[in-house]
Structures are given as structure tokens and as C-alpha cells.
């Protein structure tokens, strides 16, 4: 149902990627981790990855490799690629956020109902919605903006964005804990929340598909030529 | 003392377009030709962002074709807009070259 130009390209990219030399795979992973949907739209991200895979294959056959072709400064290369690409898609960012939000709400409220509350209607603080929204927002922004900042780092520094994300989430939970209105408890009926989340997810995925077709318009030769 | 790569960077885009204008070609071949003409620092990693920009501007288009060496290869072709770009670049380059020549060959103090 949700098969798009991006899913087709991604599938082919995964197959081609597996066949690359380990060093080339590592460089491509480092480069791609610096290119998030906050900087380049999903379709162009897959095209760039395909180009890098093709470049690596070609270089290997000429007894060279990606490291030589790109040089040691991966960050500069990523910056150049981002600067010269088509840029991000605002609609895609919004739809991507809505998709994650709906999945998170669905999973979180279902878990609370089945594991901690034992039913589909339970009593909770009214601020729970704001808390969950904040969590998703932090995760979404951290993944898209923080992770690319550390692509050139190694060891502890490379995982710095994970620690920062964890600290932000913990900070948010603490803030919500102190500012919670303990007198304002409401009955939370999970059924409509699950239904709304599922519907929002389906609509967001459908709109993403339309948006990807729009982004790929006039470039479909890539898929036809490649597959 | 002189950073040749910095000096040549501004002209690289026009040179790539000129190479592509001759015939449909691919990344490695473009790099090889640039190196033959003195762009010793040119590598696939240098020209790829420029090819992305040229494609985004509609100056070139690309397609994947069979390669005798193995996997399909991305070929670049000049568009009509690219032909216009090339004419403008050639004219601009002549102007810049003439200006630099005048300064470098003459006595600047006399100007």
C-alpha cells in the first residue's frame, strides 16, 4: 500500500550496500548519518546514497576506494553535498513528525493500558499528553539535528548525541514532574486515542507517499534505469 | 604559497559542463579529463557536489546505463539550459581572463 519511489530505491540500495567492502560501507554510513531529513528530502537522500554506492563500486574496480576519492574530511564533503542538493521538504518534516507522534502515542497508551493500568480507561494527570508530545519532539529533533553534528567523531564523542538526547528526555520528565498539577486528574479513555493515532498514522503515510511522488516527479528514470 | 585548488575551484563548474557538452559521460571520466588538463586535485568527491548542483539547476540531467565494468553507471548529459550556461560561462571567463591578463602583464602603477 505504501510502496513509493523511496522504498524501491531503498530496497535496491540495501542490496547493493551489502556487497560493498567494509571500509566503503563505513564511510557511506558516516556520510548518510550527516544527511537527515532536516537538510535533504527523503527521495534525494536515497539518490545520494545510490550515487555513493555506485561511486564506491566504480572506484573498487579501478583499485581505489571512497576514502581516497573523498579525502579525510567527511564533514566538509557532507556540507558540500547538503549545500548543493535540493534541500529539505517542509511537508515531509511535518508528516514525518505526525507519523512518529501517532506511533509513539499508540505504543505508549497501549502499554499503559495493558501493563500498568490493566484496562482501557484509567485515571491520569491531564499533563500526560503534553509530556508525551515533548518526548516525541525531543527524539525527533535530536535524531535529525544532533546526530549529524557528531559524524566525524570517534568513540565516546560519536555517541555524544545519544547521551545528550537522554539528558534532554530526563530533563523534560523532571520538569513535567515538578510542574504537574496534582489536583487535575482526568479519566483517560484509551480507545479513541488509539483509534485517532492509527488514523493519523494512515493518513500521514498516505500523504507522505503523495509527497514523495511529487519530489520524484521527473526523476523516475532513476528507478526505471536501476531496477 | 599559492593555493591552486582554491584558484581553480571557481572555474571547475564551467569546465565540467564543457566536458559533458562533448558527449554523455560519467564521474570517473570527468575526473580523468580534468586531471589531464591540469586539475590534479580533482577527485570524484570534489566533483560530486558540483554535479548535484548542476543537476538541481537543470544544467545537466542524468540516467543509469549499463557499464562494461560491472554495475550500472550514472551518465550525465547537457540540457538546452546547459548550452546557454556554457555560452555565458565562456563569455564571463574571457572577460575575467582579459582583466587578469591586463593586470598581470602591465604595470599596475600606470593604470
Amino acid at each position: 500500500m505504501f510502496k513509493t519511489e523511496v522504498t524501491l530505491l531503498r530496497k535496491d540500495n540495501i542490496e547493493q550496500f551489502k556487497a560493498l567492502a567494509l571500509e566503503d560501507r563505513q564511510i557511506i554510513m558516516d556520510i548518510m548519518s550527516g544527511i537527515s531529513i532536516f537538510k535533504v528530502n527523503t527521495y534525494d537522500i536515497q539518490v545520494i546514497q545510490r550515487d555513493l554506492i555506485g561511486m564506491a563500486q566504480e572506484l573498487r574496480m579501478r583499485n581505489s576506494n571512497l576514502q581516497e576519492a573523498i579525502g579525510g574530511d567527511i564533514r566538509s564533503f557532507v556540507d558540500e553535498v547538503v549545500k548543493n542538493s535540493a534541500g529539505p521538504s517542509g511537508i515531509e518534516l511535518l508528516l514525518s513528525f505526525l507519523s512518529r507522534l501517532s506511533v509513539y502515542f499508540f505504543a505508549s497508551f497501549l502499554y499503559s493500558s495493558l501493563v500498568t493500568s490493566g484496562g482501557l480507561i484509567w485515571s491520569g494527570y491531564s499533563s500526560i499528553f503534553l509530556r508525551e508530545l515533548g518526548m516525541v519532539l525531543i527524539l525527533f529533533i535530536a535524531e535529525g539535528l544532533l546526530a549529524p553534528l557528531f559524524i566525524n567523531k570517534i568513540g565516546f564523542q560519536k555517541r555524544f548525541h545519544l547521551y545528550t538526547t537522554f539528558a534532554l528526555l530526563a530533563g523534560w520528565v523532571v520538569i513535567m514532574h515538578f510542574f504537574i498539577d496534582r489536583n487535575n486528574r482526568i479519566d483517560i479513555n484509551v480507545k479513541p486515542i488509539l483509534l485517532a493515532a492509527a488514523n493519523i498514522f494512515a493518513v500521514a503515510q498516505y500523504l507522505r507517499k503523495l509527497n514523495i511522488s511529487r519530489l520524484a516527479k521527473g526523476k523516475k528514470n532513476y528507478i526505471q534505469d536501476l531496477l | 604559497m599559492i593555493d591552486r585548488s582554491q584558484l581553480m575551484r571557481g572555474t571547475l563548474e564551467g569546465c565540467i559542463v564543457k566536458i559533458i557538452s562533448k558527449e554523455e559521460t560519467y564521474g570517473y571520466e570527468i575526473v580523468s579529463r580534468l586531471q589531464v588538463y591540469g586539475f590534479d586535485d580533482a577527485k570524484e568527491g570534489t566533483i560530486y557536489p558540483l554535479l548535484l548542483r548542476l543537476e538541481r539547476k537543470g544544467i545537466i540531467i542524468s540516467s543509469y546505463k549499463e557499464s562494461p565494468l560491472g554495475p550500472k553507471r550514472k551518465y550525465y548529459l547537457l540540457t538546452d539550459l546547459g548550452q546557454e550556461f556554457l555560452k555565458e560561462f565562456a563569455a564571463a571567463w574571457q572577460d575575467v581572463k582579459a582583466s587578469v591578463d591586463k593586470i598581470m602583464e602591465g604595470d599596475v602603477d600606470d593604470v
Side-chain angles (χ1 to χ4, degrees), chain B residues 38-62:
Chain B
F39 285 88
D40 298 328
D41 295 335
K43 291 175 185 169
E44 277 85 346
T46 322
I47 67 160
Y48 179 65
L50 296 176
L51 290 168
L52 271 183
R53 180 162 64 188
L54 292 169
E55 200 168 0
R56 179 167 56 87
K57 286 180 175 174
I59 290 166
I60 57 173
I61 51 170
S62 64

Side-chain angles (χ1 to χ4, degrees), chain A residues 134-190:
Chain A
M135 302 275 261
V136 180
L137 201 59
I138 288 169
L139 287 169
F140 187 64
I141 292 174
E143 186 193 323
L145 293 179
L146 274 181
L149 295 177
F150 301 95
I151 53 167
N152 260 12
K153 308 294 182 192
I154 51 168
F156 173 83
Q157 288 183 315
K158 190 160 190 143
R159 290 187 297 274
F160 192 73
H161 71 279
L162 292 176
Y163 309 131
T164 313
T165 307
F166 183 76
L168 287 169
L169 286 173
W172 177 246
V173 170
V174 169
I175 289 170
M176 291 306 294
H177 179 76
F178 281 112
F179 286 90
I180 209 162
D181 180 3
R182 297 191 191 282
N183 296 321
N184 195 2
R185 286 186 79 90
I186 54 170
D187 282 339
I188 296 171
N189 186 352
V190 175

Side-chain angles (χ1 to χ4, degrees), chain A residues 112-128:
Chain A
S112 296
S113 300
L114 297 179
V115 180
T116 58
S117 303
L120 287 175
I121 300 175
W122 34 274
S123 175
Y125 296 116
S126 58
S127 57
I128 189 172

Side-chain angles (χ1 to χ4, degrees), chain A residues 20-31:
Chain A
L20 293 179
L22 185 64
E23 312 89 84
D24 290 338
R25 288 209 305 259
Q26 188 57 53
I27 291 177
I28 290 176
M29 279 197 294
D30 284 346
I31 292 169

Side-chain angles (χ1 to χ4, degrees), chain A residues 51 58 61 69 221-222 225, chain B residues 48 55 62 64 69 72 74:
Chain A
D51 289 346
E58 183 91 26
M61 280 181 285
N221 58 321
Y222 287 142
D225 296 343
Chain B
Y48 179 65
E55 200 168 0
S62 64
Y64 281 91
L69 281 179
K72 285 187 175 180
K74 196 173 190 178

